[in-house]
Amino acid sequence: MPVIKPLSVNLSEWSHIKIGTECSDFYLPESLEQLLEMYDIAAKINKKVLLLAGGSNILFGKVDDYIVVSDARLPSYWRQEGKEIIVSGNYNITRLLMKIARLDLGGLEFLGGIPAHIAGLVRMNAGAFGSQIADYIKFITIIDQHKSRVIPRADINFSYRHSNITGCITEIRLAPEIVPYKEILTKIKANILTRSRLTPINLPNLGSIFKNPQDASAGYLLDKAGFRGKRLGDAAFSSLHANIMVNLGKATFSDAWSLITAAREKVKKDFNINLKLEIEVVN
């Protein structure tokens, strides 16, 4: 296997909101062996490893302390073993749902239409419509600090839009439900339609910026606090959904972060509620 070399990229091309700066320590490993090398490379130059999946929920600021490692060129696969599904971490979730639907395997339709790799969804315990991906996980395989290991679901601490998973998720074993093919398709289409009505799909965005507080909606709180459609530079909270930030053209990290900070402060002032981020912010 040839020695992997760093690339110079603009990280705005690797985040769905199209915000980011130049990065000269960007890597695209093509095998698990090369992925393991990333930790040695980072240690030699005294940096940390920043793992990048689909880029659907990451806001890039300064990345000087990191080497950025994308899973885009790692082997991508899925297979059936009995009633369970084994899938690589870099597999697109909607594509996977459509594949396993033909086997009458479902239950994960609530994730339909999310433009993300499944590893990222597992790490944040993604969910919608009252369901969460944690409920369908049997095991995960991660690479972390020079080794690969398998972690059973019982040893992972999942909570609302959060997990304690560290390292790169390379494989997931799922236990879907037996659901008729047509029923799965109907649910996926309905969920995608709902998302399209609430999400500004014509503009770069990261989906929900904040987690919903207990017994409340972040979008509702932001709307009441006056942030629906609120703009700073080219960053703005969408007029369709107050909890979704969009890039109107040339938004910078400073634009986005200043607007996020202002929104949190206003909601705290008006409702005495501390909004927690759902996205990952690197700065």
Coordinates of all heavy atoms in Angstrom, one line a residue, residues 19 39 56 70 77 85 110 180 200 206 219-220 222 272:
I19 N -19.2 26.2 4.3 CA -18.4 27.2 5.0 C -17.1 26.4 5.4 O -17.1 25.3 5.9 CB -19.1 27.7 6.3 CG1 -20.3 28.5 5.9 CG2 -18.2 28.4 7.2 CD1 -21.2 29.0 7.0
Y39 N -3.4 8.1 12.7 CA -3.1 8.4 14.1 C -1.6 8.5 14.3 O -1.2 9.3 15.1 CB -3.7 7.3 15.0 CG -5.2 7.3 15.0 CD1 -6.0 6.5 14.1 CD2 -5.9 8.2 15.9 CE1 -7.3 6.6 14.1 CE2 -7.3 8.2 15.9 CZ -8.0 7.4 15.0 OH -9.4 7.5 15.0
S56 N -22.5 16.5 6.8 CA -23.9 17.0 6.8 C -24.2 17.7 8.1 O -25.3 18.4 8.2 CB -24.9 15.9 6.6 OG -24.8 14.9 7.6
S70 N -11.2 12.1 5.8 CA -12.5 11.8 5.2 C -12.6 10.3 5.0 O -11.6 9.7 4.6 CB -12.7 12.6 3.9 OG -13.8 12.1 3.2
Y77 N -19.8 -0.7 1.4 CA -20.5 -2.0 1.2 C -21.6 -2.2 2.2 O -21.7 -1.5 3.2 CB -19.5 -3.1 1.3 CG -18.9 -3.2 2.7 CD1 -19.5 -3.8 3.8 CD2 -17.7 -2.5 3.0 CE1 -18.9 -3.8 5.0 CE2 -17.1 -2.5 4.2 CZ -17.7 -3.2 5.3 OH -17.2 -3.2 6.5
I85 N -28.2 -6.6 9.1 CA -27.5 -6.0 8.0 C -26.2 -5.4 8.5 O -26.1 -4.8 9.6 CB -28.4 -4.8 7.5 CG1 -29.7 -5.3 6.9 CG2 -27.6 -4.0 6.5 CD1 -29.5 -6.1 5.6
F110 N -37.6 6.5 9.3 CA -37.5 7.9 9.8 C -36.2 8.6 9.4 O -36.2 9.9 9.5 CB -37.6 7.9 11.4 CG -36.6 7.1 12.1 CD1 -35.4 7.7 12.5 CD2 -36.7 5.7 12.3 CE1 -34.4 7.0 13.2 CE2 -35.7 5.0 13.0 CZ -34.6 5.6 13.4
P180 N -43.3 -5.0 5.2 CA -43.5 -5.1 3.8 C -42.9 -4.0 3.0 O -42.9 -2.8 3.4 CB -45.0 -5.1 3.7 CG -45.5 -5.5 5.0 CD -44.5 -5.0 6.0
P200 N -34.9 24.0 3.7 CA -34.5 24.8 2.5 C -33.5 24.1 1.6 O -32.3 24.4 1.6 CB -33.9 26.1 3.1 CG -33.4 25.7 4.4 CD -34.3 24.6 4.9
L206 N -27.1 22.7 7.3 CA -26.7 21.6 8.1 C -27.8 20.9 8.8 O -27.6 20.1 9.7 CB -25.6 22.0 9.1 CG -24.3 22.6 8.6 CD1 -23.4 23.1 9.7 CD2 -23.6 21.5 7.8
G219 N -37.0 25.0 17.3 CA -37.5 25.9 16.3 C -38.5 26.8 16.7 O -38.5 28.0 16.4
Y220 N -39.4 26.4 17.6 CA -40.5 27.2 18.2 C -39.8 28.4 19.0 O -40.2 29.5 18.9 CB -41.4 26.4 19.0 CG -42.4 27.2 19.8 CD1 -43.6 27.6 19.2 CD2 -42.2 27.6 21.1 CE1 -44.5 28.4 19.9 CE2 -43.1 28.4 21.8 CZ -44.3 28.8 21.2 OH -45.2 29.5 21.9
L222 N -36.8 29.6 18.9 CA -36.1 30.5 18.0 C -37.0 31.4 17.2 O -36.7 32.6 17.0 CB -35.2 29.7 17.0 CG -34.0 29.0 17.7 CD1 -33.4 27.9 16.7 CD2 -32.9 30.0 18.1
N272 N -35.3 31.4 29.5 CA -34.4 30.7 30.5 C -34.1 29.3 30.2 O -34.1 28.4 31.0 CB -35.0 30.8 31.9 CG -34.0 30.5 33.0 OD1 -32.8 30.8 32.9 ND2 -34.4 29.9 34.1

